[in-house]
Amino acid sequence: MPDLPIVDLSVHHQPHGLSDRIAYGFTKTLRFCADTFFAKRYGHRAIVLETVAAVPGMVGATINHLKCLRRMCDDQGWIRTLMEEAENERMHLMTFIEIARPTLFERLVIIGVQWVFYVAFFALYLISPRTAHRVVGYFEEEAVISYTLYLKELDEGRSPNVPAPTIAKHYWHLPQDATLRDVVLVVRADEAHHRDVNHGFASQLAGMADSAAAAPYPDHADDIRMVA
Ligand SMILES: [Fe+2]
Ligand SMILES: [Fe+2]
């Protein structure tokens, strides 16, 4: 295995002010819905939630791109960072689709949720990009918790630790004998990185000093469309 980034599981941004409290409340409401709907079906949970997780980066990239065109200003690297986040989340989806198959009902939920979430997140980003990034920061805190629980399921034998999908071995440069556990570890490290980046963006927009460095990002293949 390549060296895995250490994931600090204790990171939590204390809500400051109304914007943060709205973001935190919204995230906790969605967490409750996800826990009720999926319980411990972590493979299915990952698929449905990754179809949602890949949306904010593309929305943020689009809106920042348009803003920079209008204002003819530099983006400070935000657009590429957000596009990379969207692509990375889509690779999580492409990985977990090899682990579990969504039911017909889940596919219908995905379609409905995408309509609602894309429009709602786009509107939120236009109104308050700070709140939008804080929402993503809190979503990612929850993702880190969920993947930690998934690891526990694997370690305690309640979910089979199957071989890692080929696409995952290629994308994260994992060895040939890598397992699902190895995949969940690198996915969790990705989520921790997104968590810190988005909390950092939200704090920057709020004019708060946020000196904490983002959790390290695992190594990813550049040619992600090529499956070995
Ligand atoms: Fe993800
Ligand atoms: Fe994420």
Side-chain angles (χ1 to χ4, degrees):
M1 276 291 291
D3 284 345
L4 278 177
I6 307 290
V7 172
D8 183 351
L9 302 176
S10 67
V11 171
H12 169 58
H13 175 84
Q14 272 310 118
H16 295 289
L18 185 64
S19 164
D20 284 6
R21 286 197 175 84
I22 290 171
Y24 192 53
F26 178 61
T27 304
K28 282 296 175 190
T29 307
L30 289 190
R31 168 100 212 180
F32 176 77
C33 295
D35 285 347
T36 308
F37 186 63
F38 296 107
K40 288 180 182 283
R41 296 159 60 237
Y42 287 102
H44 290 251
R45 181 190 188 111
I47 289 169
V48 175
L49 294 187
E50 295 294 359
T51 70
V52 176
V55 169
M58 203 53 90
V59 169
T62 302
I63 293 177
N64 279 292
H65 177 69
L66 295 175
K67 186 181 86 180
C68 289
L69 294 180
R70 288 195 312 275
R71 297 186 186 175
M72 294 168 226
C73 65
D74 186 55
D75 71 327
Q76 314 281 333
W78 282 37
I79 297 170
R80 282 206 173 196
T81 299
L82 292 168
M83 286 177 70
E84 157 59 31
E85 179 189 299
E87 193 168 74
N88 176 261
E89 297 290 10
R90 187 168 55 78
M91 290 309 289
H92 293 174
L93 173 65
M94 297 314 289
T95 295
F96 284 109
I97 200 73
E98 301 293 329
I99 303 292
R101 290 283 155 181
T103 63
L104 178 62
F105 179 66
E106 284 167 350
R107 285 181 183 273
L108 294 172
V109 168
I110 287 167
I111 293 168
V113 167
Q114 187 174 92
W115 271 100
V116 174
F117 184 73
Y118 184 89
V119 173
F121 192 82
F122 199 99
L124 175 64
Y125 205 105
L126 285 177
I127 297 164
S128 174
R130 167 190 167 182
T131 312
H133 281 295
R134 193 65 79 201
V135 164
V136 179
Y138 285 133
F139 276 11
E140 302 287 4
E141 284 185 16
E142 297 298 333
V144 169
I145 294 168
S146 294
Y147 283 117
T148 301
L149 293 172
Y150 196 178
L151 280 176
K152 195 160 179 275
E153 288 291 297
L154 293 167
D155 288 346
E156 293 175 3
R158 284 189 293 275
S159 290
N161 187 20
V162 295
T166 304
I167 192 168
K169 286 189 275 193
H170 176 76
Y171 181 57
W172 281 283
H173 299 138
L174 299 175
Q176 276 312 309
D177 59 352
T179 64
L180 176 56
R181 186 179 197 281
D182 302 321
V183 173
V184 174
L185 280 170
V186 282
V187 169
R188 185 177 68 170
D190 284 344
E191 310 295 18
H193 178 79
H194 300 156
R195 172 195 69 196
D196 297 348
V197 166
N198 279 279
H199 276 321
F201 282 174
S203 296
Q204 211 175 311
L205 290 168
M208 292 159 57
D210 199 338
S211 54
Y217 207 24
D219 192 22
H220 303 120
D222 293 328
D223 54 343
I224 62 168
R225 283 160 210 86
M226 192 200 91
V227 178

